[in-house]
Amino acid sequence: FSFTHAICRAPSPSIVDGLRAVDTGAPDLDLFRAHHAAYVDALRDTGANVTVLPALDAFPDSVFVEDAALCLTEGAIVMRPGAPSRRGEAAAMRPTLETFYDDVREIDGPGFIEGGDILVTESEILVGTSARTDAAGVDALRALVADWDYRVREVQTPPDVLHFKTDCSLLDADTILCTRRLAASGCFDGYRQIHTADGEEAAANAIRFNQHVLLPKGFPRTAETLGKAGYDIRQIGNSEAAKLDGGMSCLSLRF
Ligand code: CIR
């Protein structure tokens, strides 16, 4: 959770065509841009170097950069998104990764894996299989990071939840913020856990970024719990990204 860099991408007018599980209306581009700017400011505020890439009109979901790559200390890995409309985003991210990393690797088919299903903790990499990530994708990641000494553990994203990290985030070396439905699977046994308040499940997609915890706005009980636990909370508007099932983690690559 200690980072010197982040990569984001500006939202494109084509976000109105972004993927969504349930259509609750098109996101408003101006409001999306305002929320995105507040998000980038909160990252920069920690002293990190934040690159904001230009919008990619051909890829409506490309503002959700997290799904295109996994950034580790030793190198970066280009993902292989399960959503066909998102596959080109991963390739488009590669040249940027190469400006920061000497070692850039790529997930080979036939498996699929998206960054939103990957949670990196101090001791392991958890990957939730989902509609976007399959067991072959997890195996491909495991093979790619073996020489960097990472332990990759396959877990399950809850049914009807887009990504594993839709329901969880890392708060510090041994603390996870997660929904009760995900905790019930036992995947975080052994970690200290803070659960989102009932009805505030969408607060689980937060990020710890240096001294801040970026939390989507509108989840007062979870915010209060985290504040009492001593975290420095920054609440960021997320109404427009939420219409496309996106949240705090999706909007950046952090390393
Ligand atoms: C999608 O369905 O792929 C996008 N509309 C949302 C991606 C959110 N990304 C994430 O949770 N990491």
Side-chain angles (χ1 to χ4, degrees):
F1 56 90
S2 178
F3 303 105
T4 53
H5 290 79
I7 300 172
C8 302
R9 187 181 288 287
S12 145
S14 65
I15 50 153
V16 295
D17 297 321
L19 298 173
R20 63 206 81 172
V22 179
D23 196 356
T24 58
D28 177 284
L29 178 60
D30 288 336
L31 189 52
F32 204 132
R33 284 184 173 140
H35 290 163
H36 195 261
Y39 178 90
V40 169
D41 281 350
L43 300 183
R44 285 199 172 131
D45 189 44
T46 70
N49 174 321
V50 183
T51 302
V52 181
L53 299 171
L56 271 186
D57 220 33
F59 298 105
D61 286 299
S62 56
V63 66
F64 303 116
V65 284
E66 173 181 70
D67 297 317
L70 176 66
C71 292
L72 298 169
T73 312
E74 299 81 353
I77 298 165
V78 178
M79 295 286 110
R80 192 160 184 271
S85 69
R86 302 202 58 191
R87 227 153 279 160
E89 288 174 37
M93 186 56 75
R94 186 174 182 121
T96 303
L97 298 171
E98 284 170 346
T99 67
F100 292 104
Y101 285 101
D102 293 331
D103 196 347
V104 177
R105 305 177 175 190
E106 199 160 325
I107 299 285
D108 279 332
F112 296 107
I113 182 164
E114 297 191 357
D117 280 315
I118 305 175
L119 182 76
V120 181
T121 76
E122 301 280 295
S123 55
E124 59 180 343
I125 299 179
L126 288 101
V127 190
T129 50
S130 69
R132 303 289 182 82
T133 294
D134 59 17
V138 183
D139 289 345
L141 176 68
R142 185 178 288 117
L144 278 183
V145 299
D147 64 314
W148 293 337
D149 283 341
Y150 284 97
R151 181 173 110 89
V152 174
R153 176 156 63 105
E154 182 181 324
V155 291
Q156 270 188 334
T157 299
D160 300 322
V161 172
L162 175 61
H163 285 127
F164 186 60
K165 272 188 296 185
T166 305
D167 267 32
C168 65
S169 41
L170 184 77
L171 290 175
D172 59 39
D174 52 11
T175 312
I176 306 276
L177 171 68
C178 65
T179 60
R180 286 183 195 282
R181 66 186 169 210
L182 181 53
S185 73
C187 67
F188 295 128
D189 290 356
Y191 287 93
R192 189 167 86 99
Q193 300 174 32
I194 296 180
H195 297 145
T196 51
D198 291 338
E200 294 193 355
E201 285 71 19
N205 189 335
I207 52 167
R208 174 75 190 269
F209 190 82
N210 299 326
Q211 65 269 38
H212 299 332
V213 172
L214 275 63
L215 195 70
K217 246 184 208 159
F219 303 104
R221 285 177 296 141
T222 305
E224 191 188 341
T225 304
L226 293 176
K228 280 189 181 149
Y231 296 102
D232 171 13
I233 308 296
R234 296 293 149 115
Q235 297 184 60
I236 310 285
N238 191 57
S239 56
E240 305 317 290
K243 291 175 184 167
L244 303 178
D245 309 318
M248 296 294 108
S249 75
C250 325
L251 295 171
S252 58
L253 289 166
R254 304 164 291 277
F255 52 103

